[in-house]
């Protein structure tokens, strides 16, 4: 396994565990609660570059690859970030086992404890965003059509009132939910990365971010440009 070190021109610093440049240049920081980079090894992956005291915890045994972490049934990341009424999530991920439901980010338990999540269903190809709502125990969802079996940049924006929106920035598809009922907090607990409280299909993740508000279309575009640059420097195309 190779771990990337920070390069300053033609000079490579010795050792490993250097944070990526992008961690210090996040373009949208208002209400950012979590920013985790998995392309630089386990020492960096548990650092929350959103600031605060929410250091993440590794559960199980993720496999640390060159540019990403392989998560799911063998290991996940517990972020200690709570569910909030309004939320947004950003992920660079791909599913590696389509035979089971796969939780990428979130705190989903079941239909009556939907929480907020980005996930993929058994046999389906799309990345899906979902959130629990008042009077709708099964939650409301929207699909960002495109193959989550290959590297995908997905962004979910969930307001307190109104439709949620998912952006599949790799396929160029944007979709919104039909339901408009008010949000309610009804998930399993703090946000997880690589698995939620129910879905644990194998997946690879390079970047995960959380906001406690709904980001705008313009902000999603700004984040996309920055996140793509991070992925490209690790040999990942989204």
């Amino acid at each position: 396994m190779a771990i990337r070190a920070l390069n300053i021109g033609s000079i490579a610093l010795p050792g490993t565990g250097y944070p990526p440049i992008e961690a210090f240049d996040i373009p949208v920081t208002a209400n950012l609660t979590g920013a985790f980079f998995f392309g630089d090894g386990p020492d960096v992956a548990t650092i929350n570059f959103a600031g605060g005291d929410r250091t993440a915890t590794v559960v199980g045994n993720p496999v640390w690859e060159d540019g990403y972490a392989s998560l799911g049934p063998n290991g996940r990341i517990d972020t200690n970030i709570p569910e909030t009424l309004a939320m947004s999530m950003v992920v660079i991920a791909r599913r590696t086992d389509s035979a089971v439901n796969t939780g990428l980010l979130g705190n989903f338990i079941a239909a009556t404890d939907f929480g907020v999540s980005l996930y993929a269903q058994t046999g389906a190809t799309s990345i899906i965003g979902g959130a629990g709502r008042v009077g709708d125990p099964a939650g409301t969802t929207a699909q960002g059509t495109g193959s989550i079996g290959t590297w995908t940049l997905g962004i979910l924006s969930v307001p307190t009132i109104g439709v949620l929106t998912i952006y599949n920035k790799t396929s160029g598809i944007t979709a919104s939910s039909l339901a408009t009922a008010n949000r309610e907090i009804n998930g399993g607990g703090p946000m997880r990365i690589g698995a939620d409280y129910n879905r644990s299909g194998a997946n690879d993740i390079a970047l995960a971010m959380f906001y406690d508000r709904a980001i705008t279309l313009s902000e999603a575009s700004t984040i996309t440009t920055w996140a793509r640059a991070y992925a490209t420097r690790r040999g990942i195309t989204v």
Side-chain angles (χ1 to χ4, degrees):
M1 177 187 71
I3 302 296
R4 297 177 185 272
L6 178 65
N7 275 313
I8 305 175
S10 61
I11 302 172
L13 297 176
T16 61
Y18 296 101
I21 293 173
E22 290 83 4
F24 305 99
D25 191 31
I26 300 171
V28 178
T29 58
N31 295 79
L32 178 68
T33 57
F36 300 94
F37 298 83
F38 295 96
D40 301 273
D43 294 336
V44 174
T46 56
I47 300 172
N48 184 351
F49 286 93
D53 58 357
R54 296 194 183 103
T55 300
T57 301
V58 176
V59 178
N61 297 288
V63 177
W64 303 97
E65 303 288 359
D66 186 13
Y68 60 92
S70 290
L71 304 168
N74 296 321
R76 66 173 193 270
I77 309 296
D78 287 357
T79 69
N80 299 310
I81 295 170
E83 177 185 355
T84 53
L85 287 175
M87 289 198 75
S88 296
M89 298 190 290
V90 180
V91 72
I92 294 176
R94 64 182 174 187
R95 179 171 62 176
T96 55
D97 182 1
S98 62
V100 291
N101 291 325
T102 301
L104 301 172
L105 306 181
N107 67 338
F108 172 88
I109 291 182
T112 54
D113 303 286
F114 207 92
V116 181
S117 60
L118 277 168
Y119 64 101
Q121 292 180 317
T122 302
T125 61
S126 299
I127 186 172
I128 304 171
R133 292 181 180 273
V134 174
D136 187 6
T140 182
T141 62
Q143 296 191 35
T145 305
S147 177
I148 189 62
T150 58
W151 283 110
T152 297
L153 171 54
I155 301 177
L156 175 66
S157 179
V158 181
T160 301
I161 301 172
V163 300
L164 64 81
T165 302
I166 186 168
Y167 306 91
N168 184 331
K169 289 297 187 178
T170 300
S171 67
I173 297 297
T174 298
S176 296
S177 64
L178 296 177
T180 60
N182 293 357
R183 273 273 293 134
E184 67 176 359
I185 295 176
N186 63 354
M191 298 293 112
R192 291 179 174 179
I193 301 171
D196 51 37
Y197 291 74
N198 180 287
R199 314 176 186 106
S200 59
N203 60 94
D204 296 332
I205 292 184
L207 172 71
M209 300 172 69
F210 302 86
Y211 294 83
D212 63 4
R213 68 178 177 91
I215 61 174
T216 66
L217 172 61
S218 176
E219 289 172 327
S221 296
T222 299
I223 291 169
T224 296
T225 300
W226 166 85
R228 278 185 174 145
Y230 172 76
T232 298
R233 290 208 308 119
R234 279 141 191 84
I236 296 170
T237 300
V238 290

